[in-house]
Amino acid sequence: PKMKEDNCLHAALICLGMLYYSHAITTEKLNHARPSLHGHHEKGKEGQVLHRSKRGWVWNQFFVIEEYTGPDPVLVGRLHSDIDSGDGNIKYILSGEGAGIIFVIDDKSGNIHATKTLDREERAQYTLTAQAVDRNTNRPLEPPSEFIVKVQDINDNPPEFLHENYHANVPERSNVGTSVIQVTASDADDPTYGNSAKLVYSILEGQPYFSVEAQTGIIRTALPNMDREAKEEYHVVIQAKDMGGHMGGLSGTTKVTITLTDVNDNPPKFPQSVYQMSVSEAAVPGEEVGRVKAKDPDIGENGLVAYSIIDGDGMDMFEITTDYETQEGVVKLKKLLDFETKKSYSLKVEAANVHIDPKFISNGPFKDTVTVKISVEDADEPPVFLKPSYIFEVQENAASGTVVGKVHAKDPDAANSAIRYSIDRHTDLERYFTINAEDGNIKTIKALDREEIAWHNISVFAVEVHKQHQEAKVPVAIKVVDVNDNAPKFAAAYEAFVCENARSNQQFITISADDKDDSANGPRFIFSLPPEIIHNPNFTLRDNRDNTASVLVRREGFSRQKQDLYLLPIVISDGGLPPMSSTNTLTIRVCGCDSNGSLLSCNAEAYILNAGLSTGALIAILACIVILLVIVVLFVTLKRQKKEPLIVFEEEDVRENIITYDDEGGGEEDTEAFDIATLQNPDGINGFIPRKDIKPEYQYMPRPGLRPAPNSVDVDDFINTRIQEADNDPTAPPYDSIQIYGYEGRGSVAGSLSSLESATTDSDLDYDYLQNWGPRFKKLADLYGSKDTFDDDS
């Protein structure tokens, strides 16, 4: 039916074109017959206006229908000149766009035909030029006339949307008529001619949820209260149809995916009314107890839920935080629990939306509550000390066994097991203290010295008797209380100097003191002289009452010649109860000073030498000289009376030498490294060997029983035998001597290695190889290796 409609439409358009062409020809002839309205005015000689007639050679435009597919070429129009008498002398020529290819002209009749199917969407018009010339001479008979051939549009292009698929969002619960998105289609047909490009939009799929405006293509919501939680995504098909939507028009479609965005229109809701949880009493604060979750079908920030504890007896013991990744409420322990004190807790937890939309506040409170019951489970707990730490005091020098203090721990479990105490020996390496395992009393083992260790920090363990793994530990600090057991002493090794010309009551040194005891038993210090020298004629002491004392000169005129050193005892007492005191000696040297009191010399000997030697010094020097002379005389006398040595060293006996054998054996078990038999003289084994270190007065026959076996290799037996022979030898001197075991052996089975007896004549040895041993053996090579050469030269 559509094809038939198109053919009918084409036929009608062709008829209209022919009518238009006939009308143009008629008009052309009429225009040629009547004067032209556009003719030029000319004045005659008498002022008469003359009119030039318009000729019929003015062309405006022709029309041709696009997409015509008839059997014959389409007649576009006809060119004709008024001067054409029909005898064929005029030739019509067509030039311009498409001339000769698309448009052809009959040069005799002037008819123009279109030889190809035209598409207006490809080209809407063509500009051509018409000419009329004399066929024989080609002389132009008419001026060139330009005209336009327009392609007449038909509805041959359907509407097309800009996108094949559209995506749009609209909030859920939107009011009816809320704009969602606008879709736009375009039509390639001529919008100025007919309704080929007049589009009308309609919705094919998506009712009754959405609608579309026919003229604009705007999609709007059509139903109220669309719920995202029920259905989130919709697929809508929109159609665009030309010809104003009438029958016979062409159409195109597009798909639109519409997603409902979330709004906070649902409050959170717990799926159950009570949650049961449990936690051990051994749990530490911060440990997770359990989780609760309120369901909210909304998403994103609309589904965010915050949890809080609003009531219950466990508000102080527990807390709740929000895990925003899982949207759960995490119940955590806030404080330590005690099963023996309270066995269960109850909490009222609220879950509320973080963001609330005021438009949906009427949907109800956007929060919910639930009850959480938490039971405490009993745990086997270690002992607990009554205090987190203990501090005790004990006096120093207290007797062994003195009670320092008592620690106490108990089993918090219902069983209330017995407790045993012990001291961590890593904290009491010197073992100053002991503890009673039953009652926790701490006592001293030995005396304490505050001046050595003022504080003792130990640790005490408490364990259950039947459960050794349950252990507790507590720090115990023991302060050693000071007792006044140290006397004050000089703060430094003082050595004072006083001038020979010192004035009376002149201060020459200030002293202070130190006390190892605590400040309560130390300063203030009291300085004084001993009672027996309180009236010392040389020096006096003044207590400055600020823990220092000044030493002053009591008299004038000191002499280094008479006495250059004074020792002044000073008594120092501390402020303890009872006080302690000590006597310290101050060394005072007498020195020579100038008139200003500056020290010049404290050397007493130099002063004496300048004045001459004293009688005592001279006597001492003479006594030393006499003693030295006596020693020299005695030494010379003893030298002359020296006897002949008991041991005669015979220089001729070369055997009487100490022979060193640098043989490192293999130890006690090595019996192969050295043959002890070589030390034995086989020539004299059956006879007496005379000693070589003395001249015996008579022969001594050794005892047969003490001689070792000839082939004995036992070093101990051999040496012991020799020692006994020497000890029992009456000819031996009464002191230790060197025992000589000089044995050279019976000779060697090998011949002599000496070259002294070698033949001095021709030798059968060949030393030519020395020529190849390099420069270091050149001399030997010249002596031995060049014999033949030498003989030849001679």
Side-chain angles (χ1 to χ4, degrees):
K2 182 177 181 181
M3 186 176 296
K4 291 181 179 180
E5 291 179 1
D6 293 341
N7 292 335
C8 293
L9 180 60
H10 291 168
L13 291 175
I14 291 172
C15 294
L16 289 175
M18 295 300 291
L19 292 174
Y20 179 81
Y21 173 75
S22 301
H23 177 69
I25 296 297
T26 305
T27 305
E28 178 188 355
K29 294 182 178 178
L30 291 176
N31 289 340
H32 182 72
R34 66 172 180 266
S36 173
L37 295 177
H38 304 282
H40 297 282
H41 298 279
E42 296 181 0
K43 293 185 179 180
K45 295 181 180 179
E46 298 179 356
Q48 183 180 358
V49 177
L50 301 178
H51 297 276
R52 186 172 62 183
S53 300
K54 180 180 180 182
R55 302 181 63 183
W57 185 251
V58 179
W59 310 98
N60 186 5
Q61 61 185 7
F62 294 122
F63 293 91
V64 61
I65 299 176
E66 69 171 334
E67 304 294 346
Y68 176 71
T69 57
D72 300 323
V74 179
L75 178 64
V76 178
R78 181 185 180 190
L79 298 179
H80 183 73
S81 175
D82 290 344
I83 63 175
D84 186 4
S85 59
D87 55 3
N89 292 328
I90 296 179
K91 180 181 179 181
Y92 295 98
I93 300 174
L94 186 66
S95 63
E97 298 174 344
I101 300 174
I102 300 176
F103 301 102
V104 296
I105 188 170
D106 187 346
D107 59 355
K108 292 182 179 181
S109 63
N111 291 334
I112 302 172
H113 292 81
T115 61
K116 294 183 178 180
T117 301
L118 303 180
D119 186 359
R120 190 201 68 84
E121 286 72 38
E122 182 179 346
R123 191 180 184 113
Q125 65 182 21
Y126 298 86
T127 302
L128 300 171
T129 301
Q131 286 182 298
V133 300
D134 187 278
R135 185 176 296 273
N136 297 321
T137 62
N138 285 331
R139 181 177 58 85
L141 300 178
E142 294 285 355
S145 178
E146 188 178 87
F147 64 95
I148 296 174
V149 176
K150 286 190 174 182
V151 182
Q152 190 71 42
D153 182 53
I154 64 173
N155 189 19
D156 60 342
N157 289 280
E160 293 183 358
F161 284 92
L162 299 179
H163 303 285
E164 185 178 354
N165 293 287
Y166 289 85
H167 296 274
N169 297 323
V170 64
E172 64 173 331
R173 307 284 182 183
S174 296
N175 297 327
V176 175
T178 301
S179 175
V180 179
I181 191 176
Q182 182 178 14
V183 294
T184 303
S186 60
D187 197 319
D189 293 326
D190 189 359
T192 63
Y193 180 76
N195 294 326
S196 297
K198 186 178 181 180
L199 304 182
V200 174
Y201 299 94
S202 61
I203 184 168
L204 300 184
E205 295 181 14
Q207 302 95 339
Y209 306 103
F210 300 95
S211 62
V212 64
E213 291 185 357
Q215 305 301 325
T216 61
I218 297 176
I219 302 175
R220 300 182 182 275
T221 57
L223 285 181
N225 297 324
M226 284 191 292
D227 191 3
R228 184 199 65 83
E229 288 73 31
K231 185 176 182 180
E232 183 176 5
E233 192 173 83
Y234 296 84
H235 298 281
V236 178
V237 178
I238 301 297
Q239 182 189 65
K241 190 173 184 181
D242 58 14
M243 299 301 292
H246 293 94
M247 186 177 295
L250 303 178
S251 64
T253 60
T254 186
K255 294 180 180 179
V256 183
T257 301
I258 301 176
T259 303
L260 297 182
T261 57
D262 185 63
V263 297
N264 191 11
D265 58 340
N266 294 280
K269 186 70 176 177
F270 284 105
Q272 58 196 69
S273 59
V274 178
Y275 284 88
Q276 296 285 348
M277 300 179 184
S278 62
V279 61
S280 172
E281 65 170 336
V284 296
E287 188 172 332
E288 181 178 328
V289 178
R291 295 187 174 219
V292 298
K293 184 175 183 180
K295 295 183 178 180
D296 190 332
D298 296 322
I299 60 175
E301 67 176 12
N302 297 318
L304 294 180
V305 179
Y307 298 87
S308 60
I309 300 175
I310 59 175
D311 197 5
D313 58 0
M315 292 183 65
D316 296 334
M317 305 300 295
F318 300 92
E319 62 182 356
I320 190 169
T321 59
T322 303
D323 186 346
Y324 286 102
E325 292 185 1
T326 61
Q327 292 299 305
E328 293 177 318
V330 183
V331 180
K332 296 182 179 180
L333 184 63
K334 190 176 180 181
K335 296 181 180 179
L336 291 173
L337 300 173
D338 186 9
F339 173 81
E340 290 71 25
T341 303
K342 189 172 178 62
K343 297 178 176 59
S344 64
Y345 295 89
S346 177
L347 303 174
K348 188 175 183 181
V349 177
E350 179 184 80
N353 277 140
V354 177
H355 303 283
I356 299 176
D357 194 338
K359 294 188 295 184
F360 304 100
I361 195 69
S362 59
N363 289 11
F366 284 82
K367 55 186 177 181
D368 194 17
T369 58
V370 71
T371 300
V372 179
K373 293 185 177 180
I374 304 173
S375 59
V376 181
E377 298 178 348
D378 189 19
D380 190 7
E381 300 174 85
V384 177
F385 283 94
L386 298 185
K387 294 182 180 180
S389 62
Y390 292 86
I391 299 178
F392 300 129
E393 291 184 354
V394 60
Q395 284 191 341
E396 66 174 328
N397 303 327
S400 176
T402 301
V403 176
V404 177
K406 180 179 181 180
V407 297
H408 183 68
K410 65 176 183 178
D411 181 12
D413 298 322
N416 195 18
S417 300
I419 306 297
R420 293 291 180 269
Y421 303 94
S422 62
I423 294 177
D424 182 2
R425 288 304 170 188
H426 292 91
T427 61
D428 186 24
L429 297 176
E430 300 296 330
R431 295 185 176 270
Y432 287 103
F433 306 97
T434 184
I435 190 170
N436 189 308
E438 303 292 336
D439 58 13
N441 274 321
I442 301 175
K443 297 181 180 180
T444 61
I445 299 178
K446 52 187 177 181
L448 306 177
D449 187 0
R450 189 204 69 85
E451 287 70 41
E452 181 179 350
I453 302 177
W455 284 87
H456 293 266
N457 296 302
I458 64 174
S459 296
V460 175
F461 290 113
V463 297
E464 297 182 16
V465 174
H466 302 294
K467 298 176 182 178
Q468 298 294 328
H469 65 281
Q470 294 293 354
E471 180 182 77
K473 186 177 181 180
V474 68
V476 178
I478 302 173
K479 180 182 179 182
V480 181
V481 180
D482 184 50
V483 174
N484 193 17
D485 57 347
N486 289 277
K489 296 180 180 180
F490 276 159
Y494 292 110
E495 187 172 3
F497 302 92
V498 62
C499 294
E500 289 181 308
N501 55 357
R503 298 185 305 274
S504 178
N505 293 326
Q506 179 181 352
Q507 175 183 337
F508 59 90
I509 190 172
T510 300
I511 59 175
S512 61
D514 281 338
D515 195 328
K516 293 182 180 180
D517 291 322
D518 198 2
S519 58
N521 293 317
R524 106 164 170 82
F525 299 121
I526 300 173
F527 300 86
S528 62
L529 295 177
E532 60 272 14
I533 64 168
I534 194 168
H535 298 294
N536 187 304
N538 299 315
F539 307 100
T540 184
L541 184 71
R542 182 179 65 199
D543 193 338
N544 296 326
R545 298 184 180 277
D546 58 355
N547 296 326
T548 65
S550 300
V551 182
L552 297 87
V553 177
R554 173 167 286 185
R555 66 178 178 85
E556 295 181 355
F558 290 89
S559 175
R560 284 183 289 169
Q561 184 178 4
K562 294 182 179 180
Q563 185 174 355
D564 64 337
L565 185 67
Y566 293 89
L567 300 178
L568 181 65
I570 299 176
V571 178
I572 308 175
S573 301
D574 59 21
L577 291 176
M580 292 193 70
S581 63
S582 66
T583 301
N584 301 264
T585 301
L586 178 64
T587 301
I588 304 174
R589 291 187 179 276
V590 179
C591 300
C593 302
D594 57 12
S595 58
N596 296 326
S598 300
L599 293 178
L600 295 178
S601 173
C602 296
N603 190 348
E605 288 75 14
Y607 180 84
I608 295 172
L609 287 175
N610 291 333
L613 293 176
S614 63
T615 303
L618 293 175
I619 293 175
I621 293 172
L622 292 175
C624 292
I625 293 173
V626 171
I627 292 173
L628 289 175
L629 292 175
V630 172
I631 292 174
V632 171
V633 171
L634 290 176
F635 180 76
V636 172
T637 304
L638 293 176
K639 189 69 175 177
R640 291 179 178 179
Q641 295 177 356
K642 185 176 182 182
K643 296 180 179 181
E644 291 295 330
L646 296 178
I647 300 176
V648 178
F649 294 93
E650 296 181 2
E651 296 179 357
E652 295 79 11
D653 192 354
V654 297
R655 295 176 303 169
E656 295 177 359
N657 294 313
I658 297 175
I659 306 302
T660 301
Y661 299 96
D662 294 328
D663 187 357
E664 296 182 0
E668 295 179 355
E669 298 178 0
D670 186 3
T671 60
E672 303 296 334
F674 186 81
D675 187 4
I676 194 62
T678 59
L679 296 178
Q680 302 172 357
N681 190 346
D683 294 336
I685 192 168
N686 295 323
F688 171 72
I689 302 174
R691 294 176 59 92
K692 298 298 182 179
D693 54 347
I694 63 172
K695 295 180 179 179
E697 297 177 358
Y698 59 92
Q699 290 290 88
Y700 167 72
M701 297 301 294
R703 297 180 183 179
L706 298 177
R707 186 180 296 109
N711 297 324
S712 174
V713 294
D714 191 341
V715 177
D716 291 340
D717 294 342
F718 178 79
I719 298 300
N720 291 331
T721 300
R722 289 291 185 265
I723 292 174
Q724 291 180 11
E725 289 177 357
D727 291 341
N728 298 321
D729 186 358
T731 63
Y735 51 81
D736 293 339
S737 63
I738 298 175
Q739 300 297 318
I740 305 301
Y741 305 100
Y743 174 64
E744 296 183 356
R746 294 195 182 96
S748 173
V749 296
S752 175
L753 298 178
S754 175
S755 61
L756 297 177
E757 297 178 357
S758 300
T760 57
T761 60
D762 294 340
S763 175
D764 56 353
L765 296 177
D766 184 9
Y767 298 99
D768 290 341
Y769 57 87
L770 294 174
Q771 298 290 342
N772 301 324
W773 282 18
R776 294 188 178 182
F777 297 90
K778 185 176 182 301
K779 188 66 175 176
L780 292 176
D782 294 341
L783 294 176
Y784 295 96
S786 60
K787 179 178 180 182
D788 297 338
T789 304
F790 179 80
D791 293 340
D792 294 341
D793 294 340
S794 62

